[in-house]
Short mmCIF file of all heavy atoms in Angstrom, two decimals:
data_model
loop_
_atom_site.label_atom_id
_atom_site.label_comp_id
_atom_site.label_asym_id
_atom_site.label_seq_id
_atom_site.Cartn_x
_atom_site.Cartn_y
_atom_site.Cartn_z
N GLY A 240 14.07 0.24 -0.24
CA GLY A 240 15.24 0.82 0.59
C GLY A 240 14.64 1.89 1.43
O GLY A 240 13.44 1.84 1.99
N PRO A 241 15.51 2.91 1.88
CA PRO A 241 14.97 3.95 2.82
C PRO A 241 13.81 4.65 2.30
O PRO A 241 13.57 4.86 1.11
CB PRO A 241 16.21 4.98 2.73
CG PRO A 241 17.35 4.06 2.41
CD PRO A 241 16.90 3.07 1.47
N CYS A 242 12.87 4.91 3.18
CA CYS A 242 11.50 5.48 2.89
C CYS A 242 11.18 6.42 3.87
O CYS A 242 11.27 6.11 5.13
CB CYS A 242 10.64 4.30 2.57
SG CYS A 242 8.86 4.74 2.62
N PRO A 243 10.55 7.62 3.59
CA PRO A 243 10.11 8.47 4.66
C PRO A 243 8.96 7.90 5.53
O PRO A 243 8.73 8.28 6.64
CB PRO A 243 9.60 9.69 3.80
CG PRO A 243 9.33 9.16 2.50
CD PRO A 243 10.20 8.07 2.24
N HIS A 244 8.18 6.91 4.91
CA HIS A 244 7.11 6.33 5.75
C HIS A 244 7.71 5.50 6.90
O HIS A 244 6.84 5.35 7.91
CB HIS A 244 6.18 5.44 4.83
CG HIS A 244 5.53 6.23 3.73
ND1 HIS A 244 4.46 7.04 3.98
CD2 HIS A 244 5.81 6.46 2.54
CE1 HIS A 244 4.07 7.65 2.81
NE2 HIS A 244 4.95 7.26 1.88
N ARG A 245 8.84 5.08 6.86
CA ARG A 245 9.37 4.17 7.94
C ARG A 245 9.65 4.99 9.16
O ARG A 245 9.69 4.42 10.26
CB ARG A 245 10.64 3.53 7.39
CG ARG A 245 10.30 2.44 6.31
CD ARG A 245 11.54 1.73 6.03
NE ARG A 245 11.21 0.51 5.09
CZ ARG A 245 11.98 -0.04 4.33
NH1 ARG A 245 13.25 0.35 4.27
NH2 ARG A 245 11.52 -1.06 3.61
N SER A 246 9.75 6.31 9.08
CA SER A 246 9.89 7.07 10.27
C SER A 246 8.57 7.64 10.76
O SER A 246 8.55 8.44 11.78
CB SER A 246 10.92 8.18 10.00
OG SER A 246 10.35 9.16 9.18
N CYS A 247 7.43 7.23 10.14
CA CYS A 247 6.10 7.69 10.52
C CYS A 247 5.86 7.13 11.95
O CYS A 247 5.98 5.96 12.22
CB CYS A 247 5.04 7.33 9.54
SG CYS A 247 3.43 7.67 9.99
N MET A 248 5.33 7.97 12.77
CA MET A 248 4.92 7.40 14.19
C MET A 248 3.48 7.73 14.52
O MET A 248 3.08 7.61 15.62
CB MET A 248 5.85 8.10 15.22
CG MET A 248 5.99 9.71 15.05
SD MET A 248 7.08 10.33 16.24
CE MET A 248 6.02 10.92 17.49
N ASN A 249 2.59 7.80 13.40
CA ASN A 249 1.18 7.95 13.64
C ASN A 249 0.60 6.62 13.93
O ASN A 249 0.82 5.64 13.14
CB ASN A 249 0.55 8.53 12.36
CG ASN A 249 -0.89 8.80 12.40
OD1 ASN A 249 -1.55 8.34 13.31
ND2 ASN A 249 -1.47 9.67 11.63
N PRO A 250 0.12 6.42 15.22
CA PRO A 250 -0.39 5.06 15.50
C PRO A 250 -1.58 4.56 14.66
O PRO A 250 -1.69 3.43 14.45
CB PRO A 250 -0.99 5.35 16.94
CG PRO A 250 -0.95 6.71 17.25
CD PRO A 250 -0.22 7.50 16.19
N ALA A 251 -2.18 5.42 14.00
CA ALA A 251 -3.28 5.02 12.92
C ALA A 251 -2.61 4.29 11.75
O ALA A 251 -3.30 3.65 11.04
CB ALA A 251 -4.16 6.19 12.46
N HIS A 252 -1.30 4.56 11.50
CA HIS A 252 -0.63 3.92 10.41
C HIS A 252 0.20 2.75 10.70
O HIS A 252 0.90 2.24 9.94
CB HIS A 252 0.37 5.07 9.86
CG HIS A 252 -0.43 6.23 9.19
ND1 HIS A 252 0.35 7.19 8.42
CD2 HIS A 252 -1.65 6.59 9.25
CE1 HIS A 252 -0.51 8.01 8.01
NE2 HIS A 252 -1.78 7.74 8.49
N LEU A 253 0.01 2.31 11.99
CA LEU A 253 0.85 1.15 12.53
C LEU A 253 -0.03 0.00 12.81
O LEU A 253 -1.16 0.17 13.28
CB LEU A 253 1.70 1.56 13.77
CG LEU A 253 2.57 2.87 13.53
CD1 LEU A 253 3.09 3.24 14.92
CD2 LEU A 253 3.62 2.56 12.55
N GLU A 254 0.41 -1.17 12.37
CA GLU A 254 -0.40 -2.43 12.74
C GLU A 254 0.61 -3.59 13.12
O GLU A 254 1.67 -3.72 12.51
CB GLU A 254 -1.14 -2.81 11.44
CG GLU A 254 -1.98 -4.03 11.75
CD GLU A 254 -2.79 -4.31 10.44
OE1 GLU A 254 -2.60 -3.73 9.33
OE2 GLU A 254 -3.49 -5.34 10.51
N ALA A 255 0.28 -4.35 14.20
CA ALA A 255 1.09 -5.37 14.57
C ALA A 255 0.82 -6.60 13.72
O ALA A 255 -0.42 -6.93 13.53
CB ALA A 255 0.89 -5.77 16.08
N VAL A 256 1.84 -7.24 12.95
CA VAL A 256 1.71 -8.39 12.14
C VAL A 256 2.81 -9.28 12.35
O VAL A 256 3.78 -9.03 12.96
CB VAL A 256 1.60 -7.85 10.74
CG1 VAL A 256 0.45 -6.95 10.35
CG2 VAL A 256 3.01 -7.16 10.18
N THR A 257 2.56 -10.51 11.81
CA THR A 257 3.65 -11.50 11.81
C THR A 257 4.82 -11.02 10.90
O THR A 257 4.72 -10.28 10.02
CB THR A 257 3.20 -12.86 11.35
OG1 THR A 257 2.79 -12.74 9.98
CG2 THR A 257 2.06 -13.32 12.19
N SER A 258 6.00 -11.72 11.12
CA SER A 258 7.10 -11.28 10.36
C SER A 258 6.85 -11.57 8.71
O SER A 258 7.21 -10.88 7.94
CB SER A 258 8.43 -12.09 10.77
OG SER A 258 9.44 -11.97 9.92
N ALA A 259 6.26 -12.67 8.57
CA ALA A 259 5.91 -13.20 7.12
C ALA A 259 4.99 -12.20 6.48
O ALA A 259 5.22 -11.71 5.36
CB ALA A 259 5.28 -14.50 7.13
N GLU A 260 4.00 -11.70 7.22
CA GLU A 260 3.03 -10.72 6.73
C GLU A 260 3.74 -9.41 6.43
O GLU A 260 3.59 -8.71 5.42
CB GLU A 260 1.79 -10.56 7.59
CG GLU A 260 0.79 -9.57 7.13
CD GLU A 260 0.15 -9.93 5.85
OE1 GLU A 260 0.10 -11.12 5.43
OE2 GLU A 260 -0.35 -8.99 5.13
N ASN A 261 4.67 -9.01 7.43
CA ASN A 261 5.30 -7.70 7.16
C ASN A 261 6.25 -7.74 5.94
O ASN A 261 6.29 -6.87 5.13
CB ASN A 261 6.16 -7.45 8.41
CG ASN A 261 6.68 -6.00 8.53
OD1 ASN A 261 6.04 -5.06 7.75
ND2 ASN A 261 7.64 -5.79 9.35
N SER A 262 6.83 -8.95 5.75
CA SER A 262 7.73 -9.16 4.48
C SER A 262 6.89 -9.14 3.26
O SER A 262 7.31 -8.50 2.27
CB SER A 262 8.48 -10.47 4.63
OG SER A 262 9.44 -10.41 5.64
N ARG A 263 5.69 -9.67 3.31
CA ARG A 263 4.80 -9.82 2.12
C ARG A 263 4.52 -8.26 1.77
O ARG A 263 4.51 -7.91 0.61
CB ARG A 263 3.55 -10.64 2.36
CG ARG A 263 3.73 -11.92 1.76
CD ARG A 263 2.36 -12.68 1.84
NE ARG A 263 1.83 -12.83 3.14
CZ ARG A 263 2.20 -13.85 3.98
NH1 ARG A 263 3.16 -14.62 3.70
NH2 ARG A 263 1.75 -13.99 5.19
#
Side-chain angles (χ1 to χ4, degrees):
C242 165
H244 297 282
R245 290 182 172 162
S246 67
C247 176
M248 51 185 259
N249 183 339
H252 294 189
L253 304 173
E254 183 181 358
V256 295
T257 63
S258 175
E260 180 62 21
N261 197 20
S262 294
R263 258 190 300 282

